[in-house]
Amino acid sequence: MTHCSTVPGRTDHVIVVGAGLSGLAAASHLCGRGRTVTVLERDGVPGGRAGRLDIGGYRLDTGPTVLTMPDIVRDTLAATGASMDERLPLIRLDPAYRTFFADGSSLDVHTDGEAMTEAVRAFAGPREAEGYARLRAWLTRLYEVEYAGFIAANVDSPLGLLTPRLARLAALGGFGRWESAVRRFLRDERLLRVFTFQALYAGLSPRRALALYAVIAYMDTVGGVFFPRGGMRALPDALAGAAADAGVEFRYETRVTSLERRGRRVTAALTADGDRIPCDAVVLSCDLPAAYRLLGHVPRRPARLVAAPSAVVVHLGVSGDGRPGADGTAHHNLLFGRAWRTTFDDLIRAGRPMRDPSLLLTRPTVTDPALAPDGRQLVSVLAPAPNLARARLDWDRIGPAYAEEVIQATAVRSGLRVHVKDVLHVITPADWRRQGLLAGTPFSLAHTFGQTGPFRPANLPRTTDNVVLAGCGTVPGVGVPTALVSGRLAADRVTGTGTS
């Protein structure tokens, strides 16, 4: 067992700044461990970047739409004594994704091993089916080695990683490249995309991402994809409701402007309303720029921070059932263009919108029709885009025209023959920046080697003794499950419980 640093002194009353997923997880675990917790949130509802918007009877999720690893949600609710079955019943999506390729073929991605093996056999032949079975086993071993020792554990320095698990991870090829690792099992270029597109969540090309991040492909293609009734907003609502019932105090529409300090300890949070809220410790779950601003210090690093690509998201209200044919589009759909390598070059190297876009189309009304008015469907399309540090594009000017390009590409790629009644809402990198997000991206820092594990911005800043960070910008990284884990790791830093 490796000892990890914790907050010294009293930690009876903890302020959590931000009611995003990581802040809610931190508050839940801290409350469950006997701390008095006050959550200060600038918006009027919980969720943070897991946002929401109601327009004309449509209930939009403006943040993440893919929910995986429900056991982490279950553990977060259980920290306050709540039951996920009662607070947040989840629907398992089958298929997890429906994929559409530029050659006209399509494939349903099942998380059941036998069903997916047979689907791959019918799609690409017996050799690829056998390769998929071996890939699935490798992904499972990768997850088993990584989760407890790397994803879900605090580590103070790279030396803390020197454990037998590290050797097992290296033996599995975790420090090679993601795409190369998958090519050991699959030759069909279409299947290669299905099991490497998740590298975009890590902010990198599959050719450059470490193979250890293929664990993200385990989470959705093996572990499963789920959806809460009422939309993704039901997740922060359930976490906040359970925490509030357990005694956590929530103050919404409360913006923290500064932290009062005495020596190396923060003694109170000061708000825009002029309130002074004393505390023994603080968890900052806001985005990194806001957290460092409150700390009054940006840590020195040997290299500048590298942000992940951003996204343009177009929310549409459409008529009819939106079916392209007998099968129709599923809840989640991957619409691949002909280009693949150049897509990542456009986003990451050249800093321009994709010339041949691959898109994520989400149609949540397939699962929950109540998210749209009667006779209408809700469709959201995510198009990866360069972040504002890579390309200073005037999205306020070009956004409407690019949204129309996305709509047209969606119709071509999916065959989604619908009459678009309303363009409900468009979110561009400029909008993400206005929310205070680093480089105008909702995906925070890219998971480069220098921003992985102990090399990622630490959750225990060295300039204070009683402030801890949580969220996508710190460990373990980007995504709904990892945001929840980040909150638990922050709670571990405060209480000393669960550290290894």
Side-chain angles (χ1 to χ4, degrees):
M1 301 292 283
T2 302
H3 172 74
C4 289
S5 301
T6 57
V7 171
R10 290 184 55 180
T11 59
D12 296 341
H13 179 208
V14 184
I15 286 176
V16 177
V17 179
L21 297 181
S22 62
L24 292 170
S28 298
H29 287 284
L30 288 165
C31 176
R33 299 173 193 177
R35 270 48 174 191
T36 300
V37 182
T38 302
V39 178
L40 308 178
E41 167 56 48
R42 68 180 180 180
D43 294 331
V45 293
R49 65 187 76 194
R52 65 189 71 184
L53 189 63
D54 294 339
I55 300 177
Y58 294 93
R59 295 165 59 84
L60 280 59
D61 289 319
T62 59
T65 58
V66 178
L67 178 60
T68 62
M69 308 307 292
D71 284 349
I72 297 175
V73 180
R74 189 182 305 276
D75 291 345
T76 307
L77 286 166
T80 55
S83 162
M84 189 169 76
D85 293 338
E86 296 177 1
R87 291 276 184 174
L88 190 72
L90 297 178
I91 302 164
R92 188 182 189 105
L93 302 183
D94 187 24
Y97 300 100
R98 181 161 290 157
T99 58
F100 295 83
F101 300 93
D103 64 1
S105 61
S106 64
L107 172 70
D108 281 0
V109 178
H110 303 283
T111 52
D112 176 78
E114 291 185 7
M116 187 59 187
T117 300
E118 290 309 307
V120 171
R121 189 186 312 278
F123 180 75
R127 185 176 63 185
E128 294 299 278
E130 188 273 334
Y132 163 73
R134 291 189 295 112
L135 171 65
R136 183 184 179 94
W138 178 76
L139 290 171
T140 302
R141 291 197 302 273
L142 195 69
Y143 173 77
E144 291 169 349
V145 169
E146 278 189 57
Y147 184 75
F150 300 98
I151 297 173
N154 279 313
V155 178
D156 286 344
S157 75
L159 293 176
L161 294 177
L162 298 180
T163 68
R165 283 182 180 272
L166 185 67
R168 290 198 291 272
L169 182 58
L172 285 169
F175 296 102
R177 299 300 176 184
W178 186 338
E179 182 178 297
S180 298
V182 176
R183 284 189 184 278
R184 301 201 316 258
F185 306 101
L186 300 172
R187 298 184 184 181
D188 189 292
E189 293 292 325
R190 298 167 299 174
L191 292 175
L192 187 76
R193 298 184 188 191
V194 171
F195 295 99
T196 63
F197 83 90
Q198 301 90 344
L200 269 176
Y201 298 150
L204 296 169
S205 159
R207 285 172 289 155
R208 296 185 59 83
L210 292 175
L212 60 88
Y213 284 113
V215 72
I216 307 172
Y218 168 87
M219 291 179 179
D220 59 6
T221 69
V222 179
V225 177
F226 298 80
F227 191 69
R229 186 74 63 183
M232 288 293 286
R233 71 179 68 186
L235 172 58
D237 283 350
L239 295 173
D245 288 349
V248 174
E249 178 188 10
F250 285 86
R251 298 190 189 185
Y252 294 107
E253 298 182 338
T254 299
R255 184 167 62 89
V256 176
T257 55
S258 61
L259 301 176
E260 181 182 282
R261 296 174 66 152
R262 183 178 303 141
R264 289 180 53 84
R265 294 188 73 88
V266 170
T267 55
L270 307 180
T271 74
D273 297 328
D275 292 334
R276 177 186 180 275
I277 306 168
C279 62
D280 299 311
V282 177
V283 174
L284 296 178
S285 73
C286 40
D287 206 43
L288 274 183
Y292 289 152
R293 189 165 54 249
L294 289 173
L295 286 170
H297 175 75
V298 177
R300 292 182 180 179
R301 293 178 60 88
R304 66 180 179 87
L305 293 173
V306 178
S310 185
V312 172
V313 184
V314 182
H315 298 277
L316 304 170
V318 304
S319 61
D321 60 14
R323 293 186 303 170
D327 294 331
T329 47
H331 187 119
H332 292 300
N333 307 270
L334 296 166
L335 316 179
F336 292 109
R338 293 190 181 280
W340 188 237
R341 292 179 181 272
T342 57
T343 293
F344 296 96
D345 290 339
D346 287 345
L347 294 173
I348 298 170
R349 297 181 63 185
R352 61 189 170 210
M354 295 176 293
R355 290 167 292 175
D356 183 17
S358 290
L359 307 167
L360 172 64
L361 182 153
T362 299
R363 204 175 110 196
T365 40
V366 168
T367 304
D368 188 352
L371 299 176
D374 289 343
R376 299 288 177 88
Q377 295 282 326
L378 175 59
V379 173
S380 300
V381 185
L382 183 150
N387 65 50
L388 296 179
R390 177 61 62 185
R392 298 189 178 278
L393 300 172
D394 185 355
W395 284 103
D396 289 333
R397 180 180 63 83
I398 70 174
Y402 187 70
E404 184 59 34
E405 289 182 29
V406 169
I407 293 169
Q408 294 303 317
T410 300
V412 171
R413 297 284 162 77
S414 68
L416 188 66
R417 299 188 182 98
V418 298
H419 179 59
V420 176
K421 290 292 187 181
D422 303 289
V423 178
L424 302 171
H425 190 59
V426 177
I427 307 173
T428 72
D431 298 308
W432 300 121
R433 179 173 58 185
R434 280 188 279 269
Q435 293 181 27
L437 300 183
L438 177 73
T441 173
F443 303 112
S444 192
L445 298 180
H447 286 264
T448 61
F449 179 80
Q451 294 176 171
T452 291
F455 305 113
R456 202 165 179 82
N459 63 359
L460 200 60
R462 296 180 179 180
T463 54
T464 60
D465 285 341
N466 64 335
V467 175
V468 184
L469 303 185
C472 296
T474 185
V475 291
V478 179
V480 172
T482 40
L484 295 174
V485 171
S486 178
R488 197 265 293 162
L489 293 177
D492 290 350
R493 290 291 198 186
V494 173
T495 67
T497 304
T499 56
S500 61

